[in-house]
């Protein structure tokens, strides 16, 4: 095997910060023979409050970075970037790019019995109506109820998860949805699976939460099965490299906690 062989190339994953680790964790467990490069653009977080043009520009730079690291497929593990990408991207990067919106939408459609789907997301994702557009195309009979949750990301990045203040914020965002007929709720930001249990408590047991990570892993599996992505057959030790555009004092501790039981190989500060 030489380094130009697709087999030894890593899977590239990026997000604005820690949230995409929820996707990385699922992928690393589902594909133990694969190596991963994760880019967290913490210096420019949050993406969710920025304009679509800015997010698209950041997404392009992140993709370029992962291409230089020889990624064989790129997972956009960020809903805000996926929405911007679905709206704006015209470029062909010559490799598969998987977003999180389409897989999560399909999973929600398969799950809902009431044809009413809730979406929690950042301002950018909700304002761009990415889920409305994708679900509207796949299954126009479904009604979408969306709530922008701008406070979730900063609190999660701070590690304030099991905290009374987080519980108050969850109540504030979820209550309007409980007056609708939703039975399925999309966690439309990759940070939100990190507070999934707390959201579930407030939403109640009759609402199914949709995390995009397993659906993204299914898409990747399919791409490997049809040879759009060449799988790595054997790997004695899975290599997971994290690149972060700004390392704050808490990042390593919080990243370790979020990825558990998956462990990363190293973490490097980088500039784009
Ligand atoms: N994790 C990102 C997402 O899925 C967003 C966090 C941010 O606002 O940067 O939308």
């Amino acid at each position: 095997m030489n380094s130009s062989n697709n087999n030894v190339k890593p899977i590239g994953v990026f997000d604005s910060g820690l949230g995409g680790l929820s996707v990385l964790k699922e992928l690393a467990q589902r594909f133990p023979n694969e190596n991963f490069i994760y880019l967290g653009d913490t210096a420019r977080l949050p993406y969710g409050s920025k304009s679509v043009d800015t997010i698209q520009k950041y997404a392009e730079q992140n993709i370029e970075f992962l291409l230089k690291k020889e990624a064989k497929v790129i997972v956009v593990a960020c809903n805000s970037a996926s929405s911007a990408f679905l709206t704006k991207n015209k470029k062909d990067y010559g490799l598969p790019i998987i977003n999180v919106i389409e897989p999560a939408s399909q999973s929600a459609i398969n799950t809902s019995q009431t044809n009413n789907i809730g979406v929690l997301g950042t301002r950018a994702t909700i304002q761009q109506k990415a889920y409305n557009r994708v679900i509207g195309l796949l299954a126009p009979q479904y009604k979408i109820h969306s709530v922008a949750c701008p406070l979730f990301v900063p609190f999660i990045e701070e590690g304030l998860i099991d905290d009374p203040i987080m519980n108050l914020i969850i109540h504030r965002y979820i209550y309007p949805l409980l007056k609708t007929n939703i039975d399925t709720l999309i966690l439309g930001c990759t940070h939100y699976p990190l507070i999934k249990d707390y959201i579930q408590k407030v939403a109640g047991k009759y609402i199914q939460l949709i995390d995009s990570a397993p659906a993204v892993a299914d898409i990747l599996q399919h791409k490997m099965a049809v040879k759009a992505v060449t799988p790595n057959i054997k790997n004695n030790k899975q290599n997971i490299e994290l690149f972060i555009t700004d390392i704050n004092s808490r990042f390593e501790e919080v990243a370790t906690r979020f990825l558990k039981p998956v462990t990363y190989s190293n973490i490097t500060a980088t500039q784009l």
Side-chain angles (χ1 to χ4, degrees):
M1 267 188 253
N2 62 52
S3 67
S4 63
N5 186 326
N6 210 19
N7 287 356
V8 298
K9 291 181 176 178
I11 292 171
V13 179
F14 79 84
D15 179 40
S16 55
L18 286 163
L21 295 177
S22 63
V23 179
L24 176 65
K25 175 176 167 176
E26 175 80 24
L27 297 179
Q29 289 179 300
R30 191 82 88 82
F31 305 100
N33 288 330
E34 299 295 338
N35 295 330
F36 292 85
I37 302 275
Y38 179 89
L39 173 63
D41 189 11
T42 44
R44 302 189 290 195
L45 174 119
Y47 281 11
S49 55
K50 302 209 164 64
S51 70
V52 59
D53 287 334
T54 300
I55 302 171
Q56 172 65 10
K57 187 177 83 192
Y58 292 172
E60 283 175 13
Q61 291 170 346
N62 297 342
I63 290 170
E64 295 298 340
F65 175 86
L66 293 171
L67 287 177
K68 280 190 205 131
K69 298 279 173 203
E70 295 204 80
K72 60 182 172 184
V73 52
I74 292 177
V75 176
V76 184
C78 172
N79 286 257
S80 311
S82 294
S83 311
F85 206 73
L86 282 173
T87 316
K88 288 261 162 186
N89 184 54
K90 302 271 179 293
K91 272 191 205 163
D92 179 2
Y93 288 95
L95 83 175
I97 297 193
I98 301 175
N99 69 74
V100 282
I101 307 239
E102 288 165 326
S105 297
Q106 189 60 62
S107 244
I109 291 168
N110 297 345
T111 305
S112 178
Q113 300 291 317
T114 63
N115 290 7
N116 277 260
I117 296 172
V119 181
L120 303 178
T122 63
R123 279 217 176 93
T125 299
I126 300 302
Q127 278 170 3
Q128 284 170 57
K129 295 194 178 296
Y131 282 98
N132 301 56
R133 279 185 280 133
V134 172
I135 295 173
L137 278 176
L138 295 171
Q141 71 277 22
Y142 283 69
K143 212 167 162 205
I144 314 296
H145 308 263
S146 313
V147 179
C149 310
L151 291 177
F152 280 162
V153 169
F155 280 84
I156 293 168
E157 289 280 327
E158 273 303 311
L160 287 170
I161 286 177
D162 184 14
D163 192 282
I165 198 158
M166 177 60 91
N167 204 33
L168 275 177
I169 300 169
I170 294 174
H171 274 85
R172 179 74 182 254
Y173 288 143
I174 304 274
Y175 264 169
L177 287 175
L178 300 182
K179 295 186 195 125
T180 68
N181 198 17
I182 66 159
D183 61 350
T184 304
L185 179 57
I186 297 175
L187 302 177
C189 169
T190 52
H191 280 69
Y192 303 171
L194 305 168
I195 51 168
K196 189 174 177 180
D197 293 347
Y198 304 93
I199 293 178
Q200 186 77 67
K201 247 189 221 150
V202 178
K205 60 179 180 199
Y206 297 110
I207 294 185
Q208 302 281 324
L209 300 187
I210 305 293
D211 171 356
S212 58
V216 167
D218 291 345
I219 300 275
L220 187 51
Q221 184 106 54
H222 174 74
K223 293 212 180 288
M224 288 178 177
V226 300
K227 303 275 186 279
V229 175
T230 310
N232 202 15
I233 305 303
K234 194 170 178 297
N235 197 354
N236 293 333
K237 180 159 181 7
Q238 187 177 49
N239 192 40
I240 301 180
E241 287 190 66
L242 307 187
F243 289 89
I244 305 296
T245 53
D246 181 61
I247 297 193
N248 67 33
S249 56
R250 299 179 43 81
F251 191 89
E252 291 185 40
E253 178 217 319
V254 181
T256 304
R257 182 145 55 91
F258 287 165
L259 275 177
K260 210 168 164 201
V262 171
T263 52
Y264 59 82
S265 315
N266 51 57
I267 184 164
T268 311
T270 192
Q271 289 198 336
L272 297 176

